[in-house]
Every structure is written in structure tokens, then in C-alpha cells.
Amino acid sequence: MPVVLYSSPLLWTRLAALVFSCVAFSVAVHGGNLYHGTGDWCIFCWAFSFAGTLLVLLVELFGLQTRAPVSWKNFPITFACYAALLCLSASIIFPLYFLKGTSGHGEVRNFRIVSTVFSCLATIAFMTEVSISKARPGEVAGYMATAPGLLKVCETFIACVIFVFISDPILYDRHDALKYCFSVYCICFILSAAIIVLCVGECTGCLPFPFARFLSAYALLAVVLYLSATIIWPIFNFDPKNGGTKNRPYQCGSFVGLCVWDKLMAVAILTAVNFILYLADLIYSARLVFVSA
């Protein structure tokens, strides 16, 4: 089997991301003394990014793109975008739980600092890969290499983060309005994830309706749903008239990581961010339909 190796900025960027993510999780496992479940999440982020990048490099090294069971126009950039978001989340969460409030210059702390630095470097490397791989104006590329495709990745990732925040402890069972917000997150996540799977699996032609028009209709629905959730979630969590708490409790200052109020605020912010992403998605998808027409 021939080995094909072309030197390019994309190759060197992937190699850098491979090395940085490998160092991040290796150092953390070796001497980070991770005692919290959050540490397992950070290790997963780095290890998953490393393994996926290694797979992409091996497939392209041995020229197996045509034999891959997925669309190679869509898979590498989809994975790189997810890896960038995963490493970004680890770069924020890891120091929040394992460096915040610790003092001194012990060996364990030094290992944690090194993991944090290399996590940030891996994030930059994966973002650079996405920037290099994304479609340019007028260029023929897979859907996931376009702005709407990358927005779908960001939307699903933010939804996953929201699920993490609202599930430990459960934050949506206090009122029916909050359960509605939870249903919005679930519906939009499932549909966005389904679109990504269809594109990566090259199954969009199997749909009984035009894919572009479906994207526009779904984006419009998601904008309306997320707009309602962006309004409802803060009202029923921070308005005292509805049983909420406007001010941050003083007990939160002694928490390692985020307290319940912090998680409620994080969900409110992430909901607003996802609303903006879906709005941008709607604009791009509508332009796609009109340009095609």
C-alpha cells in the first residue's frame, strides 16, 4: 500500500494538534492527580481529539479516503471543529477546577499548568485547521466545510454543554416552563445532529424533500424555539416573582467550580449564544435557497 505524504500547512497544523493534545492528556494522567469527575472529562477531550486526528492523518497518509465509510469532504473538518470546541472547553474547565484556589509551586500544580498550556495550544491548532479547511467563496466543498455546517457543529456542542449543566443537579424540573426549555434544547440538538450525520454519511439525497429547503425551515423553527427559551429560562430562574434568585448567593464563593446559581446563569448565556448561532444559520440557509433558486 503506497504511503502518500504531502507537506502542507494543513498537515503541519494537524501534526501540531496531535502533539499538543497528546502532551495535554499524558501530563495530566501522569502527574495531575485528578480526583474530580471533571478531570475525566478533560482527559476525554484531549484523548478523543488526539485519537481522531491520528485517524485522519493515517487515512490520508495511506490514501484511504475513497474507502472510508464517510464523506471525506465533510468528516475531517467536522471532527476538527468538534476537537477545537472540546479542547477549548477543557482549557476553561481544567484550570477552573484544578488551578483555581490552589497555591504554591508543587510538582502536581506544575503538571496541571503544563496540561492547561498545551490544551490551549491544541485549541489554537484545531481552530487553525478549521480555518484552513473551510470553504472559500466560489469553492466547491462539502456542506460541513461551509459556514452553516460549522454552525451546526457549534450548535450541537453548546447544547451538549447545556445538558451537562442542567443534569447535575437537575435544574429544569421546578416548573413546566423550564421543562419546555429542556424540550427545546433536546429537539434542536437531535435535528442538528441528524443533519450532521446525514452530511458526513452522504445520505442527504435519500430525503424525500429538497435538503436546502429543509435546512431553511429547520433553522427558522430553531430560531423561534431558542428565542422563546432565551426569554423563558431567565424569567423563571432569576425573577423573584417566579421563585428565582436575582443575586448570586454568597455561598457560591466557596464552591470549587460552579454552584447551582452559576450553572443557571451559564445555561442562560449559552441559550442566548445558541439563539445567535441559529439566527446566523437561518440567514446563511436562506441565502443558500435563494442563490440555488
Side-chain angles (χ1 to χ4, degrees):
M1 183 179 294
V3 176
V4 181
L5 183 61
Y6 297 107
S7 179
S8 66
L10 183 59
L11 172 65
W12 292 112
T13 301
R14 284 174 176 163
L15 287 174
L18 186 76
V19 173
F20 294 151
S21 56
C22 180
V23 172
F25 80 81
S26 299
V27 170
V29 170
H30 175 69
N33 190 23
L34 308 183
Y35 54 85
H36 194 277
T38 309
D40 296 333
W41 165 253
C42 295
I43 295 296
F44 166 78
C45 292
W46 299 323
F48 178 79
S49 301
F50 167 79
T53 304
L54 180 61
L55 175 64
V56 171
L57 285 171
L58 290 176
V59 169
E60 298 199 346
L61 183 66
F62 291 102
L64 300 175
Q65 295 93 324
T66 57
R67 300 184 183 181
V70 295
S71 168
W72 209 251
K73 294 185 297 182
N74 291 306
F75 177 77
I77 190 170
T78 303
F79 175 80
C81 192
Y82 273 121
L85 293 170
L86 286 170
C87 289
L88 176 62
S89 68
S91 300
I92 297 172
I93 293 173
F94 190 77
L96 184 64
Y97 278 86
F98 296 102
L99 288 178
K100 177 185 175 183
T102 60
S103 59
H105 301 281
E107 185 177 353
V108 171
R109 178 178 173 82
N110 292 336
F111 277 116
R112 293 175 178 178
I113 291 174
V114 171
S115 290
T116 303
V117 170
F118 276 91
S119 179
C120 295
L121 292 174
T123 302
I124 295 172
F126 282 117
M127 287 182 174
T128 303
E129 180 183 346
V130 172
S131 178
I132 294 174
S133 303
K134 71 178 182 180
R136 302 295 187 270
E139 180 182 356
V140 178
Y143 175 78
M144 297 307 300
T146 63
L150 295 175
L151 285 172
K152 293 289 190 304
V153 173
C154 296
E155 292 157 5
T156 55
F157 182 81
I158 290 178
C160 288
V161 177
I162 290 176
F163 292 146
V164 172
F165 283 142
I166 65 178
S167 61
D168 184 26
I170 296 177
L171 303 178
Y172 56 85
D173 60 348
R174 187 170 53 83
H175 197 281
D176 289 340
L178 300 179
K179 294 179 181 178
Y180 164 78
C181 294
F182 177 69
S183 66
V184 168
Y185 305 143
C186 291
I187 292 171
C188 293
F189 170 78
I190 292 172
L191 291 176
S192 293
I195 291 172
I196 293 174
V197 171
L198 288 173
C199 291
V200 173
E202 288 193 322
C203 300
T204 56
C206 301
L207 296 176
F209 40 78
F211 184 59
R213 294 189 181 278
F214 167 70
L215 291 176
S216 295
Y218 164 60
L220 178 59
L221 172 65
V223 166
V224 174
L225 291 176
Y226 257 92
L227 176 60
S228 62
T230 302
I231 297 172
I232 293 173
W233 184 268
I235 290 177
F236 286 89
N237 280 301
F238 303 115
D239 189 352
K241 296 179 181 178
N242 294 288
T245 304
K246 182 185 300 185
N247 299 319
R248 186 173 186 258
Y250 70 90
Q251 299 95 332
C252 289
S254 59
F255 265 71
V256 175
L258 302 177
C259 65
V260 172
W261 192 92
D262 292 336
K263 292 181 178 181
L264 292 173
M265 179 59 70
V267 172
I269 294 173
L270 291 174
T271 302
V273 170
N274 239 7
F275 165 68
I276 295 173
L277 293 179
Y278 276 109
L279 184 60
D281 194 352
L282 173 61
I283 296 172
Y284 277 110
S285 299
R287 286 180 57 190
L288 179 63
V289 171
F290 290 134
V291 170
S292 300

